[in-house]
Amino acid sequence: MAGRIMIESGSEMYRVEDTMRRIAQNAGVMDSHIFTTPTGLFMSLPTYDAVQIQQVTSRAINLEKVDRVNALSRQFADHQITLTVLSQRLAVLDHDVPYFPLWLQVIAAAVVSCTIMIMFGGHWIDFLPSAVVGAAGYTVFYLVREQLSVSFLSEFLAAFTIGLLAWIFISLHFGRSLDMIIIGAVMPLVPGVAITNAVRDMLAGHLLTGIVRGIEALFSVSAIGIGIALVFRFFA
């Protein structure tokens, strides 16, 4: 359960395996064998002649859940909680998704969009348009991801919305640089954590997982690029 929660929340595979192995060792099992992939994990306990398989059907980025699993693992290692309590708290964490409210995520997306636009050399006249476009794009991304289960469609529609709104702002003379507004607004959509974890997994020896996650991140980036490209093809 701990490993599945961590994979679903975007943790690196070496961290998943290390956490699972530590829980097993602190429970008295020293010879556990673990194999993890982005879509499932296997764990065997030869001492007890037991093998367990967990399927991973959804993946997102929720590092707060990863941190909570690690915190519970450390509490169990320090004998602050029992194995039964650990299982109960993991079950609660599995169903209690600690996400920030939508309005706060949208505000954060707006702040990231306009500040990164300035960092990339944009003009202050594009500060407010970049914030508005970034917030609108992230809202579309969030709502599509929650309502539909089609992979990469949320990134595509959000990017298309960003490109279209940026073009509208420029057409109405509420901004100066179409490129800079788009660059800032798409940053909240870029799968930076996924790309970083893919590289870290490959450096840790998890080549299969690193390659799979890297390809998944590449598909997300491609969906964003196609959404923007359609706007430039038919509008700009």
Side-chain angles (χ1 to χ4, degrees), residues 9 100 140 201 208 232:
S9 302
F100 291 104
V140 172
D201 278 330
L208 176 61
F232 275 93

Side-chain angles (χ1 to χ4, degrees), residues 27-113:
V29 180
M30 300 299 174
D31 59 344
S32 61
H33 300 288
I34 303 166
F35 179 74
T36 57
T37 70
T39 56
L41 55 89
F42 307 82
M43 184 172 186
S44 68
L45 304 178
T47 303
Y48 298 92
D49 194 24
V51 178
Q52 186 173 4
I53 302 173
Q54 281 282 329
Q55 184 179 11
V56 179
T57 57
S58 63
R59 290 181 301 278
I61 301 298
N62 191 339
L63 300 184
E64 188 172 353
K65 291 187 75 170
V66 176
D67 177 69
R68 291 192 183 186
V69 172
N70 285 329
L72 290 173
S73 175
R74 287 190 289 268
Q75 291 177 14
F76 178 62
D78 294 336
H79 305 288
Q80 298 178 10
I81 58 176
T82 64
L83 185 62
T84 302
V85 174
L86 173 63
S87 178
Q88 293 172 347
R89 293 187 179 180
L90 286 174
V92 171
L93 178 61
D94 190 21
H95 294 90
D96 180 23
V97 183
Y99 276 114
F100 291 104
L102 175 59
W103 65 268
L104 187 57
Q105 295 185 48
V106 171
I107 292 176
V111 173
V112 168
S113 299

Side-chain angles (χ1 to χ4, degrees), residues 4-11 13 37-40 55-62 99 145 151-152 209 212-213 216:
R4 177 178 56 79
I5 293 173
M6 294 180 71
I7 294 176
E8 291 177 345
S9 302
S11 175
M13 288 301 170
T37 70
T39 56
Q55 184 179 11
V56 179
T57 57
S58 63
R59 290 181 301 278
I61 301 298
N62 191 339
Y99 276 114
R145 184 185 62 184
S151 299
F152 313 115
T209 299
V212 170
R213 282 189 164 174
E216 188 175 28

Side-chain angles (χ1 to χ4, degrees), residues 128-157:
L128 185 58
S130 180
V132 174
V133 173
Y138 185 83
T139 302
V140 172
F141 168 76
Y142 181 91
L143 295 178
V144 173
R145 184 185 62 184
E146 292 296 314
Q147 297 297 324
L148 303 176
S149 57
V150 181
S151 299
F152 313 115
L153 180 61
S154 56
E155 289 93 338
F156 168 75
L157 292 178

Side-chain angles (χ1 to χ4, degrees), residues 113 116-118 120-123 126 130 133 162-163 166-167 170 175-187 228 231-232 236:
S113 299
I116 289 185
M117 184 273 299
I118 295 296
F120 274 95
H123 197 274
D126 295 325
S130 180
V133 173
I162 288 171
W167 174 77
I170 295 298
R176 170 184 291 184
S177 173
L178 177 64
D179 294 344
M180 285 299 168
I181 294 176
I182 291 177
I183 289 173
V186 299
M187 282 302 158
I228 298 298
V231 175
F232 275 93

